Amino acid sequence: MERARLVLRSVAPFLVALPVLWFVQGSLASYTSFVAINIAVNVILAVSLNVVNGFTGQFSIGHAAFMAVGAYTAALVTTGLESLAIPGVPAAVSGQAVFLVALAVGMLAASVAGLVVGIPTLRLRGDYLAIVTLGFGEIIRVIIENTRVLGQATGISGLPACTNVVWAGMGVVLTVVMARRLLQSTQGRALLAIREDEVAAEAMGVDTVGWKVRAFVISAAFAGLAGALLVHKIQLVTPRMFTFVKSMEVVVMVVLGGMGSITGSIVAAAVLTIALETLQAADQYRMVIFSMLLIVLMLTRPSGLFGTREIWDVLPRWRRRRAPGEAP
Amino acid sequence: MTEFLQHVVNGVSLGTIYALIALGYTMVYGVLKLINFAHGDVYMVAAFSGFYIATGLGVRDDPTVGKAVAVFLGSMVVAGALGWAIERFAYRPLRNRPRLATLITAIGVSFLLEYGFQLPSLQAQGRSLEEVLRGWGWTVPGWFDALVTALPSTFPPGPTPRFFPEPFTRVDWTVLGGVHISNYDVVSFLVAFAFMLGLQWIVYRTRFGMAMRAVSFDPRVAGLMGIPVNRVISTTFVLGSVLAAVAALLVAGSRPRIDPIMGLMPGLKAFVAAVFGGIGNVPGAMLGGLVLGLAEEMVAGYTVSSFRDGIAFAILILVLLVRPEGLLGRVTVEKV
C-alpha cells in the first residue's frame, strides 16, 4: 500500500500535467509561449543546480557548460536524424520520437561530462569545485570554438523547432519530481547530512564522495536537458549562449530563492526570467546587478529569501496546518 | 637546443608572473582558508590604474625612469587599498558564517569588478540617463548637465582593450647563438625575484610574518595569544594585492593589451599554480608558478598553441587526483 502511494506520488504529476499543458499550449500567444518556455528552462536549471548547491552544499558555477554539452549533443542528434523517418509512423510522430531520443542522449552526455569533472574534484573540499567548474566552462567554450562538427564560433543553425510548452512543461515536472523525491529519500538525507557537516556525515557512514558525485551528475544531466530544450526552441546553438553570464544567472536564481528550497528556486527563476525579459534595454547592467545582488544578499540574508524552507512553510495560513516540530 | 632555451626563457618570464599572483592566493588561503576569487580582478584593476596614472603623467610621449617608478608605486597603492576594502567590507562581516557564504561573496566581488569595468564611461551613462529623462518629457536642469559633463569620460574603460604605454624603450639581445631576450624580460625577472625574496623575508624573518603564520596555524589560538588577527588578515590582503599589482605592471609592460577581463585567465592559472605548489605554502606558490609557466610554454611551443589554456586545467585535475595537498604542502586531516 505504502509502495503504491509512493509510486503514485511520482507518476501522478505527469498524468495531471500532460492534459493541462496540452490545453494551455493551444491558448497561448506565440510570444507568451516563448516566455513560458524560457521560464521553464530556467526553472529546470535552477532546481537542478539546487541539488548540488542547495541540498549538498557544494558550489558549482559552471552549470552553463553542462547545458552546452546537452544542447550540442541533442542538436547533433536531431540534425543527424532529421531525414530519418520511422516506417509506418506519421512524420510528426517520428519527429517527436527523435526529439525524445535527442533529449535523452543530451542528458546522458551532460551526465558523463559531470562525472568527468566531478570525480577528481569532489574528493576535496567544496571550494575546488567552484574553480574547476569555472575552468570547465572556459574549456568547453574553447573546444566548441575549435571543432568543425560543432560549427565553431557560429554554431549550428536550422535545428527543428521541436520544443513547445508541453515538452518544456514536462521537463519542469520531471525535474521537480526528481528533486522532491530525492529530497525525501534516504539518499536525499545523505546529501543534507553532507551539507550540514561533512565530517560528521562521514563518521556516520555516509559515502560522502560517492553521494557528492551522484548529486553532481544528476544536476549536470538536468542542465543538459534544459540546454537541449532551449536550443530546439530558438533553433540555433552557439557557444555564446552558454557563457559565465548564463551560469551566474542560474546561481543568482538559486541563491535568491534560497539554497535548498525547491519552490524558492522555481519562484526566483520565474521572477528573474520575466525581469530579464522586460529589462532587455539594461542588458549591459545585468551582470553588475547580479553580482551586487549576490554580495548584498550574502551580507544581509545569507540563506536566500526562503532559506531551506518551501513556500508553504512561509505562507502563514498553510503553516498552521502543519503540526509544530514536524520535519519539513 | 636554441629553440628549447628560448622556450625556457619565455617560460620563466611567464612563470614569475604566475608566481607573483599565486602568492596572493596562497597567503589569503593560508590565513582565511578562502579562495579569494577577486584576486585576478585586483590584478586587472592594478593594470588599469597603472594605465590611468601613466596617461596622466604623459608616459607615452616622454617615458622616464621616474615616471615608471611613479606608475608602479601608484598602482601598488591603489591595488593595496582595493584589497583592503574587499576584505574589510565583503569578507570580514561573514567571517563567522559558513564558508559557502564568503565564497559566494568572493565570486560576487569578482564579477562586480569585471563587469563594472565593462560598463560605458560615467559620462556616457549620465548622457543616456538624460536621454531617458527627456524621453519621459522631463526637462534636464542645467546643474545636472554640468555635473554629467564633469564626470570622467574614460572611466569605467568599457569592454574595448586599451594599450599600455611603454615605460622604457625595448632592447632585444641575442645570446647563446639565437636566443632572444629583451630588457623587459630581465627587468621583470629581477623585480619579481626581488619582491619574492622580500616576501620570503617578511613571512619568515619578521614579527608580522610570525603573527601571520600563527593566524594561519589557528586563528582562535593566535587571537588568544594577543595577536591582532583582524589586522594581520587585512595586511595579508594588502600584501597579496600589492604583489598582484607588481605582476600586472610587469605583464602590461611587455604585453600592453589590457581589458576588464584580463584578470580571469591569469587568476585561474595562478590559482592552479598555488594548488600545484601546495596551497597555503609560500615557496610552493613560487615553485608552482614557475613550473606552470614552463609547462605552458613548452606545450604551446612543441604541440598545438591553442592547447596553451588547457594545460593549466589538465595539471589541476592531475594534481587533484594524484597529490591534492600539492608538491610542498602537508597532508592535513579534516577535524571536527
Side-chain angles (χ1 to χ4, degrees), chain A residues 135 138-139 142-143, chain B residues 265 269 272 292 296 299 304-317:
Chain A
E138 232 4 51
I139 290 184
V142 171
I143 292 176
Chain B
M265 268 315 193
K269 288 177 185 168
V272 174
L292 184 63
E296 209 170 85
V299 166
V304 188
S305 64
S306 57
F307 287 170
R308 176 185 278 272
D309 286 342
I311 187 70
F313 295 102
I315 289 183
L316 179 63
I317 301 278

Side-chain angles (χ1 to χ4, degrees), chain A residues 6-17:
Chain A
L6 287 179
V7 169
L8 188 69
R9 221 189 244 184
S10 302
V11 176
F14 294 95
L15 300 179
V16 175

Side-chain angles (χ1 to χ4, degrees), chain A:
Chain A
M1 199 56 216
E2 175 68 13
R3 192 173 194 87
R5 203 170 60 87
L6 287 179
V7 169
L8 188 69
R9 221 189 244 184
S10 302
V11 176
F14 294 95
L15 300 179
V16 175
L18 193 59
V20 171
L21 287 168
W22 208 280
F23 175 76
V24 167
Q25 170 164 257
S27 62
L28 283 185
S30 85
Y31 177 71
T32 330
S33 79
F34 177 72
V35 175
I37 290 171
N38 245 334
I39 292 176
V41 166
N42 283 335
V43 167
I44 297 175
L45 287 171
V47 172
S48 61
L49 188 65
N50 212 342
V51 171
V52 171
N53 290 17
F55 298 174
T56 324
Q58 308 302 305
F59 204 70
S60 160
I61 46 173
H63 221 44
F66 299 110
M67 221 182 141
V69 174
Y72 270 95
T73 316
L76 286 182
V77 172
T78 48
T79 48
L81 300 182
E82 203 169 14
S83 51
L84 180 111
I86 302 164
V89 181
V93 176
S94 93
Q96 299 287 305
V98 166
F99 187 48
L100 187 64
V101 172
L103 290 181
V105 175
M107 284 178 81
L108 194 69
S111 56
V112 170
L115 201 64
V116 171
V117 175
I119 285 181
T121 322
L122 287 163
R123 301 193 314 156
L124 303 163
R125 289 210 332 229
D127 315 20
Y128 286 95
L129 186 65
I131 210 137
V132 172
T133 46
L134 190 72
F136 179 66
E138 232 4 51
I139 290 184
I140 283 288
R141 193 180 55 79
V142 171
I143 292 176
I144 292 172
E145 283 180 358
N146 288 303
T147 310
R148 189 156 301 154
V149 192
L150 303 178
Q152 289 165 330
T154 43
I156 309 172
S157 55
L159 304 179
C162 297
T163 307
N164 51 26
V165 173
V166 178
W167 278 106
M170 291 312 272
V172 169
V173 173
L174 180 67
T175 316
V176 173
V177 167
M178 177 278 297
R180 186 115 186 97
R181 301 292 297 129
L182 179 67
L183 196 58
Q184 290 167 342
S185 65
T186 330
Q187 289 84 342
R189 299 286 168 189
L191 299 183
L192 294 182
I194 293 171
R195 176 184 76 193
E196 294 306 327
D197 191 332
E198 208 171 320
V199 180
E202 191 146 21
M204 297 305 288
V206 175
D207 171 18
T208 51
V209 176
W211 284 117
K212 283 195 285 185
V213 171
R214 274 167 230 175
F216 192 66
V217 167
I218 292 174
S219 159
F222 281 87
L225 172 68
L229 285 171
L230 180 68
V231 295
H232 287 93
K233 174 63 192 174
I234 45 187
Q235 295 176 266
L236 170 75
V237 52
T238 70
R240 268 189 309 282
M241 292 161 57
F242 309 107
T243 53
F244 285 144
V245 182
K246 188 69 202 170
S247 294
M248 278 294 281
E249 240 178 71
V250 188
V251 168
V252 170
M253 284 167 194
V254 171
V255 173
L256 192 70
M259 284 184 283
S261 165
I262 299 172
T263 40
S265 293
I266 298 174
V267 172
V271 169
L272 220 58
T273 313
I274 293 169
L276 286 175
E277 201 61 37
T278 45
L279 292 174
Q280 287 285 5
D283 205 38
Q284 52 190 344
Y285 294 96
R286 178 192 284 206
M287 281 304 283
V288 176
I289 295 170
F290 281 171
S291 37
M292 288 213 267
L293 207 62
L294 273 188
I295 299 171
V296 171
L297 213 63
M298 278 302 117
L299 292 176
T300 54
R301 209 181 151 76
S303 49
L305 293 184
F306 291 119
T308 55
R309 294 170 299 178
E310 298 297 342
I311 202 162
W312 40 82
D313 300 328
V314 181
L315 294 177
R317 197 168 61 83
W318 289 24
R319 186 156 49 174
R320 240 175 280 137
R321 285 195 207 154
R322 215 177 258 281
E326 188 192 340

Side-chain angles (χ1 to χ4, degrees), chain A residues 123, chain B residues 275-276 318-329 331:
Chain A
R123 301 193 314 156
Chain B
V275 173
F276 184 58
L318 213 66
V319 171
L320 294 185
L321 275 174
V322 181
R323 198 177 154 83
E325 66 276 11
L327 280 185
L328 305 182
V331 185

